[in-house]
Amino acid sequence: MPNIKIFSGSSHQDLSQKIADRLGLELSKVVTKKFSNQETYVEIGESVRGEDVYIVQSGCGEINDNLMELLIMINACKTASASRVTAVIPCFPYARQDKRDESQAPISAKLVANMLTIAGADHIVTMDLHASQIQGFFDIPVDNLCAEPAVLKWIRENISEWRNCVVVSPDAGGAKRVTSIADTLNVDFALIHEERKKANEVDRMVLVGDVKDRVAILVDNIADTCGTICHAADKLLSAGATRIYAILTHGIFSGPAITRINNACFEAVVVTNTIPQEEKMKHCSKIQVIGIAMILAEAIRRTHNGESVSYLFSHVPL
């Protein structure tokens, strides 16, 4: 693939390497470090003049530092005369702050969109945004990829009774995602309605659908403290589900998340590798990882060749 450079930020270098390997490319050279006052310094280690540049940086770990590093890398490539700079952001930072819940609350996802654009990004590639409306915060192209092909593959290969399962959304916001998976598998779906006292704290859950004597597969895009999915698992167990799995795109797993998963009734909690999970897996044997490097690599290849990325939703080569 001529005239293409792939750089990795420091947030998830393993995923960046897997993407480069899938494309048959070497990661381009970049040096990132911090001065003693914690300012971020970036030095691009090779010429990008006239090149199609892709910078892989996920919104995880030290989120604010990694976001700043991404902005500086974009700007460095743009001012070095790259022909196009695409930010590949597997997990979009601040994605849950996508609307104003209170009169004086910020819409921080919009602020991040503005920052990326001003830094010089020409194109954004991300995966399973918390809300698709975030694409409208940009005046540049945004490809919101879907982990669904990898999720479907995992279900068919790892759940022997998948033909008699029920796919469950732990909240109303995920209904569209769950119905798409259920329709593809030709199985039933269910929905859990949740009432919250405040953020990260669920007050009451109501199950809509029948899971009695069936395998239940909870599907969601983000799991942070895991209060929602663990409460949902308890609800499904009390409703008669025989086995319960959770499949999540972005496993943040902060605070009490690992303790909650270990104490919950899950057969497995399956996440994609948009966020590194090696450390979390050492403390929780239930966590399993689905690789999505092939989806991101194919998006980069098709973008570079000027082809449609929407094709990926059902035809990505796994």
Side-chain angles (χ1 to χ4, degrees), residues 118-281:
I118 291 171
D122 300 295
H123 181 202
I124 304 294
V125 175
T126 187
M127 178 166 280
D128 277 350
L129 285 169
H130 184 251
S132 58
Q133 71 197 38
I134 293 175
Q135 294 174 86
F137 295 164
F138 289 88
D139 293 323
I140 58 175
V142 177
D143 286 314
N144 181 26
L145 305 179
C146 183
E148 185 175 316
V151 168
L152 291 168
K153 183 174 185 287
W154 190 93
I155 291 173
R156 290 179 174 128
E157 292 180 353
N158 293 276
I159 302 178
S160 58
E161 301 171 70
W162 68 265
R163 290 179 178 83
N164 189 39
C165 73
V166 180
V167 187
V168 184
S169 174
D171 56 41
K176 184 176 180 180
R177 181 185 307 107
V178 163
T179 53
S180 175
I181 292 173
D183 288 347
T184 303
L185 294 173
N186 194 28
V187 299
D188 293 334
F189 68 91
L191 172 69
I192 293 176
H193 171 66
E194 63 179 13
E195 297 176 358
R196 291 179 180 268
K197 290 180 179 178
K198 57 184 179 181
N200 285 336
E201 184 176 330
V202 177
D203 182 28
R204 191 170 70 97
M205 287 186 159
V206 178
L207 174 65
V208 181
D210 182 18
V211 298
K212 186 174 176 58
D213 298 326
R214 302 169 78 178
V215 173
I217 305 174
L218 278 163
V219 177
D220 205 356
N221 62 344
I222 296 176
D224 187 356
T225 59
C226 292
T228 296
I229 64 164
C230 289
H231 277 102
D234 291 340
K235 187 70 179 178
L236 294 171
L237 188 66
S238 65
T242 57
R243 288 187 292 157
I244 301 165
Y245 296 83
I247 302 182
L248 317 158
T249 304
H250 310 297
I252 299 172
F253 300 148
S254 67
I258 297 300
T259 300
R260 285 173 172 173
I261 292 172
N262 282 329
N263 294 333
C265 54
F266 294 113
E267 296 290 321
V269 175
V270 184
V271 295
T272 73
N273 62 338
T274 59
I275 295 173
Q277 299 295 341
E278 288 77 11
E279 286 301 314
K280 304 292 172 61
M281 292 174 72

Side-chain angles (χ1 to χ4, degrees), residues 10-11 34 38 40 57-70 93-94:
S10 57
S11 69
K34 282 186 167 62
Q38 298 305 301
T40 298
Q57 181 82 312
S58 198
C60 58
E62 299 292 335
I63 293 176
N64 296 327
D65 285 351
N66 290 334
L67 174 58
M68 195 67 203
E69 182 181 279
L70 173 61
Y94 291 87

Side-chain angles (χ1 to χ4, degrees), residues 47-53 75-85:
S47 174
V48 295
R49 182 177 293 273
E51 301 280 2
D52 190 12
V53 172
N75 192 253
C77 291
K78 200 65 178 179
T79 55
S81 301
S83 66
R84 177 175 63 178
V85 178

